Amino acid sequence: MAAIFSVSHFTPLPFLYLLILLSSYPFPISSFNITALLSSYPDLSDFNNLFTTTAVAADLTTRTSLTLLVVPNAYLRSASTSASSHPSPTNLADVLRYHVLLEYITLSDLRLIPPTGKIVTTLFQTTGRAAANSGTINITVDSSGAVTFHSPTSNATLLSPVKTLPYNISILSLNSLLIPYNVDLTASETRPPLGLNITKALIDGHDFNVAASMLAASGVVSEFEADEGGAGITLFVPTDEAFSDLPSSVRFQSLPADKKAMVLRFHVLHSYYPLGSLESIVNPVQPTLATELNGAGSFTLNISRVNGSVGINTGVLQASVTQTVFDQNPVAIFGVSKVLLPREFFGSNPIDLNEPSGGGGGGGGAMGTAQPPETALSPEYPPIYSPPNHPGMGTRAAETVGVMRILLVMWCTWICCHLFL
């Protein structure tokens, strides 16, 4: 005998609730590996190599909703601004950042651009090195439908879409590089190697003896000095007082040598930022040298302007820049008020470093105090999850979840409709 399923006492209300829940539930967006995506296109190999050699690809691992403008080999090699001219590494990296639009734009979106054009912000604008709004690109569409991307010094025409991962990244090919204002890509690197002795510079600063000793003992100072070329480095160095103010509960000096070295790398950005650039930085979440060894999204610093000075939030504590120790391109060294403690080693609970070491209240560090000011990424550019372990894996997972979500919504809709019949 066939079983009879009765829905006479079944109400569609729970299904409607489920439908609404499925439609609004924020599934996480998996990260993507831009160099892995571009590796599928042999005619983009030169452009992909530039992303790899300048480390700009690492800037994209913590972003989503992007449009990447790429130039095929044939056009890139014929340009006088080709990489064969050995341009300044900093200028080359900034030119590539100029080709990353902080907005997801598809071919259909381009067709809707008004006659006056559309201004779009690029990743270059977030570096603080773009004068005024020179880190933007103007996109126009003429009467014939040709799409042109304009910079103050150059133009490029859209060739074709390359790849689209919906709402995550759109890749468009152009017939020429776009050069931002006041960036001379044809000029070779003429500055002599700085060869700064970082330890000596700290000792000469008279208030960084502890940091200088730790850098020398750990051996990481040689890594920092080797990174002075290219995009340069920015060091945040705690004062001697900052080390003495560490609560007894923070057993920094008891860390194993490898972890202590990682904390020191956590104090260094792999790019040159003068004080003015830090004060006007657009993207507050910055990777450190420790990030490069542990994966995207880890060991990051949140940098913003707080109460008239540069604030640095580690997720455990809030520090501030107190002085400029050294600033000559490509190296900037700043004194900071506290030892920067990464949450990966010291947890996510805030630590009150204003309480004297060994003070009352159950130990040196007061746990559970008020969180420092929140300066996370704006909702427009949310952080993404799951660092890429294999090329395209995160993308396939996100697409699978999306398909399952659509099927569930369709099923619930079908049930609700039949309950009313």
Side-chain angles (χ1 to χ4, degrees), residues 356-418:
S357 178
M367 307 301 288
T369 56
Q371 277 279 12
E374 183 67 30
T375 52
L377 281 172
S378 65
E380 187 176 358
Y381 313 123
I384 50 184
Y385 308 94
S386 304
N389 296 318
H390 301 285
M393 178 176 289
T395 299
R396 290 193 296 271
E399 291 174 349
T400 302
V401 170
V403 172
M404 293 177 63
R405 175 177 170 181
I406 293 172
L407 292 175
L408 284 171
V409 171
M410 292 174 63
W411 179 80
C412 291
T413 304
W414 182 84
I415 289 293
C416 291
C417 290
H418 280 69

Side-chain angles (χ1 to χ4, degrees), residues 97-138:
R97 293 184 180 101
Y98 195 60
H99 287 71
V100 180
L101 309 185
L102 302 184
E103 186 174 333
Y104 175 77
I105 302 174
T106 63
L107 185 61
S108 58
D109 296 326
L110 293 173
R111 301 304 182 195
L112 299 176
I113 289 178
T116 54
K118 177 182 176 66
I119 303 294
V120 182
T121 302
T122 71
L123 187 62
F124 175 50
Q125 184 71 30
T126 69
T127 64
R129 292 188 289 273
N133 290 321
S134 62
T136 60
I137 285 177
N138 185 27

Side-chain angles (χ1 to χ4, degrees), residues 69 71 79-81 95 98-99 134 136-140 148-157 174-183 185-186:
L69 308 177
V71 182
S80 61
T81 55
V95 168
Y98 195 60
H99 287 71
S134 62
T136 60
I137 285 177
N138 185 27
I139 308 175
T140 61
T148 305
F149 295 77
H150 305 265
S151 81
T153 60
S154 60
N155 299 327
T157 302
L174 307 182
N175 68 347
S176 176
L177 280 176
L178 291 166
I179 310 300
Y181 173 75
N182 210 26
V183 175
L185 191 57
T186 62

Side-chain angles (χ1 to χ4, degrees), residues 33-50:
N33 186 326
I34 188 61
T35 55
L37 288 175
L38 294 179
S39 65
S40 301
Y41 304 91
D43 61 326
L44 298 176
S45 59
D46 288 357
F47 200 88
N48 196 18
N49 287 337
L50 293 178

